[in-house]
């Protein structure tokens, strides 16, 4: 029997508001445990929540970027359950009327584009964090995380492979980062992905029973967990077994999923409308002003840059990986630099320096304008490409302008033909064997001579003039 996989993703994104979703407590991740707390997020009876307006703003921006319809009227609901991470014994979430719904996100796998439907994106509060590593047989609860602002983004079961799931997560994260609505920091848990996975015989309409894989630390881990789960489910079915609807964890060391708990269904939560909060009413003017505030999104930016620069899709993808990188690249071009040159230097030498220093382009001492000036110095023949690498390293270290470095270090290219001719003459006189080889028809020794001249001039001679001078002298 041939099977196909059906996958839907649920992603919890912590929005980067300064205060929590229903109280004024700070969202600072690094605060000591239980210091960012108040009666509201500690769930004291009678404490009254108030919805953070910035949360609505940022969630709406995310919804718009995912082509969602923004509800004109949405509300909060109580999701009831007992667990020590939730002092109120309910989580405030959105049930039947989410803020955003019916959107889509375009992904690309191996050059093939596909729309993944976004079912909904709803606002909710995070729960406290339980830790079992404090020692003494005790567990700790940190309420700093309780009430953190989350947007839960749920897809249609449109995903059919681990590659598509990976592409979806990567491009979702990129969009959220472009919007600056979340730090998207997976280590700090500000982006958490859950995959719902089922398989069915190819051609069958009905979905199979799904399992949900949670608590995976990375996108590549999620992709691996999906692959494992598809294989596991097919094997269970082929062996005549049945898939149990359950939540499974991912063991990254053993590369396998394991059963965690049977899943509750929605009616177990006894959802009902949150009576302490007013509904969110979004009008056309508010939505329009948020639409107007959206930056150019990654897909649009890629298309525009491919068009206007003629660079390869791959280059453009690298250059637009982050908004900061794309802004940098475009600033270099705005200064008049050639697109291909700018791309090569940013993706090559500059990226190498950044990686070695574990730095982001935003923090680089080399400004986009200075990099453009460096490229201009190559273009007008003041320095060679080789010397420019050395200048860039100095710029990266000191933040000095390229002109200053070139002057301070005396790196101006030698273009004086008289001076180059003199060096050429000397080199030829000192290497009669190689001169004979050249005259005997071995054109390749020209490379040796060029190297010698460059060495003698500390790399400062203009390579084009050196080549011409050498050929002229050797052929004379
Ligand atoms: P639950 O109530 O268990 O959370 P939902 O119906 O809300 O289930 O769906 C959660 C996610 O699972 C969504 O992304 C949805 O597209 C996906 N999903 C639903 N049914 C299946 C299925 N049979 N196989 C794979 N994914 C599914
Ligand atoms: Mg679920
Ligand atoms: Zn609080």
């Amino acid at each position: 029997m041939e099977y196909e996989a059906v996958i839907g993703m649920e992603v919890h994104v912590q929005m980067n508001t300064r205060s929590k979703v229903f109280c004024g407590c700070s969202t600072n991740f690094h605060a000591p445990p239980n210091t960012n707390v108040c009666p509201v997020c500690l769930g004291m009876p009678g404490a009254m929540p108030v919805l953070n307006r910035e949360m609505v703003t940022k969630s709406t921006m995310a919804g718009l970027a995912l082509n969602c319809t923004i509800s004109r009227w949405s509300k909060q609901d109580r999701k009831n359950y007992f667990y020590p991470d939730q002092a109120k014994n309910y989580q405030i979430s959105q049930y039947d009327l989410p803020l955003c719904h019916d959107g889509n996100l375009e992904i690309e796998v191996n050059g093939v584009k596909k729309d993944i439907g976004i079912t909904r994106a709803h606002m909710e509060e995070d729960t406290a964090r339980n830790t079992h590593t404090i020692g003494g047989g005790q567990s700790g609860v940190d309420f700093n995380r309780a009430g953190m602002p989350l947007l839960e983004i749920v897809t249609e079961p449109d995903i059919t492979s681990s590659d598509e799931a990976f592409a979806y997560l990567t491009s979702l994260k990129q969009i959220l980062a472009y919007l600056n609505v979340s730090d998207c920091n997976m280590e700090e848990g500000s982006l958490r992905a859950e995959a719902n996975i089922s398989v069915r015989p190819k051609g069958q309409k009905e979905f199979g029973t799904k399992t949900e894989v949670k608590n995976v630390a990375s996108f590549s881990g999620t992709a691996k967990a999906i692959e494992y789960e598809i294989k596991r489910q097919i094997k269970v079915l082929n062996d005549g077994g049945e898939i149990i609807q359950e939540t499974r964890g991912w063991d990254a060391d053993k590369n396998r999923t394991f059963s965690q708990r049977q899943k509750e269904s929605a009616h177990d939560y006894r959802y009902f409308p949150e009576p302490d909060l007013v509904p969110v009413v979004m009008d056309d003017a508010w939505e329009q002003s948020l639409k107007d505030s959206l930056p150019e999104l990654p897909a649009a930016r890629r298309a525009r840059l491919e068009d206007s620069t003629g660079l390869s899709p791959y280059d453009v993808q690298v250059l637009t990986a982050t908004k900061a990188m794309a802004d940098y690249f475009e600033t270099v071009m705005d200064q008049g630099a050639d697109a291909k040159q700018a791309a090569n230097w940013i993706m090559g030498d500059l990226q190498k320096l950044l990686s070695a220093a574990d730095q982001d382009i935003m923090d680089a001492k080399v400004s986009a304008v200075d990099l453009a000036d460096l490229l201009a110095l190559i273009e007008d023949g003041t320095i060679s490409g080789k010397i420019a690498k050395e200048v860039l390293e100095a710029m990266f270290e000191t933040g000095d302008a390229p002109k200053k470095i070139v002057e301070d270090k005396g790196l101006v290219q030698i273009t004086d033909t008289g001076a180059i001719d003199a060096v050429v003459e000397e080199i030829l006189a000192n290497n009669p064997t190689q001169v004979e080889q050249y005259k005997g028809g071995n054109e390749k020794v020209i490379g040796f001579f060029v190297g010698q001249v460059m060495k003698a001039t500390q790399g400062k001679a203009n390579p084009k003039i050196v080549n011409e001078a050498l050929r002229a002298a050797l052929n004379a």
Side-chain angles (χ1 to χ4, degrees):
M1 179 93 72
E2 241 198 290
Y3 289 94
E4 64 185 5
V6 174
I7 302 159
M9 302 293 300
E10 293 167 287
V11 177
H12 285 90
V13 186
Q14 190 184 305
M15 307 306 266
N16 59 359
T17 59
R18 284 172 56 199
S19 54
K20 292 185 180 179
V21 59
F22 298 123
C23 60
C25 290
S26 164
T27 51
N28 176 14
F29 179 82
H30 301 283
N34 295 310
T35 53
N36 291 339
V37 292
C38 74
V40 173
C41 54
L42 284 172
M44 301 286 179
M48 294 294 268
V50 178
L51 178 58
N52 184 336
R53 184 185 173 94
E54 196 62 16
M55 173 63 173
V56 180
T57 298
K58 295 195 160 178
S59 300
T60 303
M61 286 171 69
L64 289 168
L66 297 171
N67 301 312
C68 286
T69 302
I70 309 301
S71 300
R72 283 290 164 270
W73 200 97
S74 69
K75 66 176 172 68
Q76 322 295 316
D77 299 280
R78 290 187 180 182
K79 179 180 178 179
N80 300 280
Y81 66 94
F82 170 79
Y83 203 64
D85 65 4
Q86 185 55 272
K88 298 194 296 288
N89 286 344
Y90 58 84
Q91 177 190 23
I92 304 178
S93 182
Q94 296 192 290
Y95 184 49
D96 52 340
L97 293 170
L99 180 67
C100 320
H101 58 93
D102 294 301
N104 64 277
L105 172 59
E106 190 183 72
I107 60 164
E108 191 175 326
V109 176
N110 299 327
V112 180
K113 290 183 172 157
K114 173 177 175 179
D115 273 342
I116 304 299
I118 304 290
T119 315
R120 54 189 282 154
H122 66 259
M123 301 182 289
E124 62 182 29
E125 58 178 341
D126 208 345
T127 57
R129 201 167 62 86
N130 294 344
T131 31
H132 310 291
T133 52
I134 57 173
Q138 295 184 326
S139 288
V141 186
D142 180 4
F143 278 88
N144 283 357
R145 204 182 67 179
M148 286 292 225
L150 297 184
L151 185 68
E152 179 174 349
I153 302 167
V154 184
T155 75
E156 290 292 295
D158 289 344
I159 298 167
T160 56
S161 69
S162 58
D163 284 348
E164 286 185 8
F166 186 84
Y168 169 75
L169 292 172
T170 315
S171 84
L172 177 64
K173 180 180 171 187
Q174 191 184 37
I175 289 171
L176 296 168
Y178 261 67
L179 293 173
N180 187 27
V181 295
S182 171
D183 301 338
C184 298
N185 185 335
M186 294 193 75
E187 277 112 72
E188 295 182 1
S190 49
L191 210 153
R192 310 195 286 264
E194 295 156 29
N196 296 267
I197 306 144
S198 66
V199 298
R200 62 178 170 189
K202 242 192 183 128
Q204 180 182 301
K205 256 204 149 144
E206 299 80 41
F207 290 152
T209 303
K210 71 180 166 76
T211 60
E212 186 171 344
V213 180
K214 280 192 169 179
N215 300 322
V216 189
S218 66
F219 292 168
S220 55
T222 300
K224 277 194 221 158
I226 289 172
E227 239 156 75
Y228 177 89
E229 199 47 27
I230 293 171
K231 287 202 188 111
R232 186 191 68 84
Q233 292 185 12
I234 291 175
K235 183 162 188 329
V236 168
L237 294 175
N238 278 338
D239 290 350
E242 233 178 81
I243 305 299
I244 307 161
Q245 178 161 339
E246 61 184 352
T247 302
R248 297 179 70 88
W250 172 243
D251 184 332
D253 293 328
K254 296 187 176 139
N255 263 312
R256 64 179 193 209
T257 64
F258 58 91
S259 177
Q260 277 185 319
R261 62 181 157 93
Q262 313 284 90
K263 185 142 175 73
E264 309 82 0
S265 51
H267 66 258
D268 290 340
Y269 290 124
R270 304 273 169 198
Y271 277 99
F272 67 86
E274 165 60 67
D276 290 341
L277 285 162
V278 293
V280 176
V281 179
M282 170 78 50
D283 59 17
D284 292 345
W286 192 8
E287 181 179 327
Q288 190 57 49
S289 76
L290 294 175
K291 240 181 211 162
D292 295 342
S293 77
L294 295 181
E296 185 181 28
L297 294 170
R301 198 159 192 181
R302 282 196 298 269
R304 177 172 60 78
L305 286 176
E306 269 181 43
D307 248 30
S308 66
T309 65
L311 290 172
S312 73
Y314 174 79
D315 285 355
V316 170
Q317 202 183 320
V318 174
L319 291 165
T320 55
T322 64
K323 185 168 179 295
M325 176 73 100
D327 288 345
Y328 191 100
F329 170 65
E330 290 210 59
T331 309
V332 175
M333 285 212 309
D334 288 346
Q335 299 297 112
D338 172 65
K340 188 70 195 158
Q341 279 278 59
N344 285 346
W345 280 85
I346 293 172
M347 292 163 58
D349 291 89
L350 181 59
Q351 187 54 55
K352 224 176 283 163
L353 291 166
L354 288 167
S355 301
D358 195 19
Q359 252 183 41
D360 196 272
I361 199 153
M362 280 190 294
D363 313 313
K365 281 187 186 163
V366 181
S367 72
V369 172
D370 280 349
L371 182 66
D373 286 347
L374 178 70
L375 301 187
L377 291 178
I378 304 172
E379 190 62 34
D380 70 13
T382 308
I383 55 173
S384 67
K386 193 149 179 272
I387 293 288
K389 286 175 192 276
E390 191 184 326
V391 177
L392 182 66
E393 274 171 38
M395 291 163 72
F396 192 82
E397 283 299 313
T398 61
D400 282 345
K403 271 209 177 84
K404 177 174 175 343
I405 293 167
V406 168
E407 274 162 25
D408 288 357
K409 296 194 169 188
L411 296 172
V412 174
Q413 184 161 245
I414 304 168
T415 51
D416 173 0
T417 45
I420 290 175
D421 284 343
V423 180
V424 165
E425 214 166 286
E426 195 188 322
I427 300 282
L428 295 187
N430 291 342
N431 299 282
T433 329
Q434 283 83 354
V435 172
E436 279 316 306
Q437 286 172 352
Y438 181 86
K439 295 203 161 148
N442 182 358
E443 288 250 343
K444 277 191 196 145
V445 278
I446 198 96
F448 163 79
F449 289 123
V450 172
Q452 293 296 309
V453 176
M454 284 307 192
K455 204 166 155 197
T457 57
Q458 286 102 46
K460 288 188 284 184
N462 177 307
K464 190 162 165 269
I465 299 175
V466 170
N467 256 294
E468 285 164 6
L470 275 167
R471 282 182 197 280
L474 284 162
N475 294 333

